[in-house]
Amino acid sequence: ANIILVAAVIDDVLGMLLLGVIKPLTTQEGGYSPITTVMQIVLAIGFIVFGVLLGRMAARGLSTVFTKLFHSGNKGALLLSFLMCTIFVAVASLAGLAAIIGSFTAGLVLDHTHFQKFHKATTKIESLVKPIRNITLPFFFFMAGIDVNLKYLLDFNVAITVLILFVLATIGKLASGFAVIIDDSRKGLGNWLIGMAMNPRGEVGMVIALLGKQYGLLD
């Protein structure tokens, strides 16, 4: 379980890096440029790394300010979370990166702080944002689902493409489990379990698909 949790974060980071190069690919004039792609990957990595480092320092100071401003620790923690997320998303957008890279980095920052200075906070931040998430998350899946037109699967070429992508994605996730060294007593079965547990993950993949459609990468 611990391996899968860490691998899930790495998997999402890889998705973020992929998002970092998608948009430039649609706007490059004169064809594909490997240099631009490498620069975008470096930019995305730099944003996440420096964003986490600077964000953690800022969060400590801001938590003190918000504690003094609000009598309710829960209210202060929630408002600080939205402020941090908004700032990171805005900076990521200005840097030419996908907004999800900013929100993902903000999540890493906020997860680390745990709002220790909000002494009056009685609820974890995950619980505070859960009602909001429960309202907004279905809209995301609704918007993703409403863009799906199943009639295209009747086209043989499209169906084959979808099948190939599905098989490659499944193999890739299953193979990831065998990158882990496990003691002899669990070798084999444990690797398969890790690969199978990684296979259903796909939130970032859905975001990539939606942005790919928005940028016109596929007709």
Side-chain angles (χ1 to χ4, degrees), residues 97-124:
L97 299 171
I100 190 177
I101 296 180
S103 60
F104 178 81
T105 306
L108 294 178
V109 171
L110 297 172
D111 179 66
H112 174 77
T113 60
H114 297 294
F115 302 98
Q116 296 171 355
K117 293 189 178 182
F118 288 105
H119 300 297
K120 297 181 180 179
T122 58
T123 310
K124 291 184 178 181

Side-chain angles (χ1 to χ4, degrees), residues 3-14:
I3 291 172
I4 293 168
L5 285 174
V6 176
V9 175
I10 297 174
D11 191 34
D12 286 339
V13 170
L14 292 175

Side-chain angles (χ1 to χ4, degrees), residues 56-80:
R56 288 177 177 178
M57 291 188 291
R60 285 194 291 268
L62 288 172
S63 63
T64 302
V65 175
F66 274 68
T67 301
K68 295 178 179 179
L69 289 175
F70 299 97
H71 297 293
S72 170
N74 288 339
K75 183 186 294 184
L78 186 60
L79 289 175
L80 178 56

Side-chain angles (χ1 to χ4, degrees), residues 2-201:
N2 288 330
I3 291 172
I4 293 168
L5 285 174
V6 176
V9 175
I10 297 174
D11 191 34
D12 286 339
V13 170
L14 292 175
M16 302 300 139
L17 298 181
L18 181 60
L19 279 172
V21 301
I22 283 182
K23 190 172 183 178
L25 287 177
T26 66
T27 57
Q28 289 178 18
E29 297 181 358
Y32 169 72
S33 172
I35 297 178
T36 303
T37 300
V38 172
M39 290 177 61
Q40 283 297 123
I41 294 176
V42 172
L43 178 62
I45 294 175
F47 182 91
I48 295 174
V49 173
F50 286 102
V52 170
L53 294 176
L54 296 176
R56 288 177 177 178
M57 291 188 291
R60 285 194 291 268
L62 288 172
S63 63
T64 302
V65 175
F66 274 68
T67 301
K68 295 178 179 179
L69 289 175
F70 299 97
H71 297 293
S72 170
N74 288 339
K75 183 186 294 184
L78 186 60
L79 289 175
L80 178 56
S81 299
F82 274 95
L83 175 64
M84 295 290 288
C85 189
T86 302
I87 292 174
F88 274 96
V89 168
V91 174
S93 299
L94 290 174
L97 299 171
I100 190 177
I101 296 180
S103 60
F104 178 81
T105 306
L108 294 178
V109 171
L110 297 172
D111 179 66
H112 174 77
T113 60
H114 297 294
F115 302 98
Q116 296 171 355
K117 293 189 178 182
F118 288 105
H119 300 297
K120 297 181 180 179
T122 58
T123 310
K124 291 184 178 181
I125 188 62
E126 291 87 354
S127 299
L128 290 175
V129 301
K130 187 175 181 180
I132 303 172
R133 183 192 64 190
N134 290 342
I135 294 175
T136 58
L137 192 60
F139 283 96
F140 167 72
F141 287 108
F142 173 78
M143 294 304 297
I146 203 171
D147 277 338
V148 176
N149 193 337
L150 295 178
K151 76 175 184 179
Y152 287 108
L153 291 177
L154 298 178
D155 184 298
F156 178 78
N157 292 329
V158 174
I160 291 297
T161 302
V162 170
L163 180 62
I164 292 174
L165 290 174
F166 175 77
V167 171
L168 290 177
T170 302
I171 292 175
K173 289 296 178 69
L174 289 176
S176 69
F178 289 88
V180 182
I181 299 175
I182 303 178
D183 59 90
D184 293 336
S185 62
R186 298 179 182 177
K187 192 174 183 180
L189 177 60
N191 296 105
W192 279 109
L193 289 175
I194 293 172
M196 287 188 288
M198 291 296 294
N199 207 46
R201 302 192 66 259

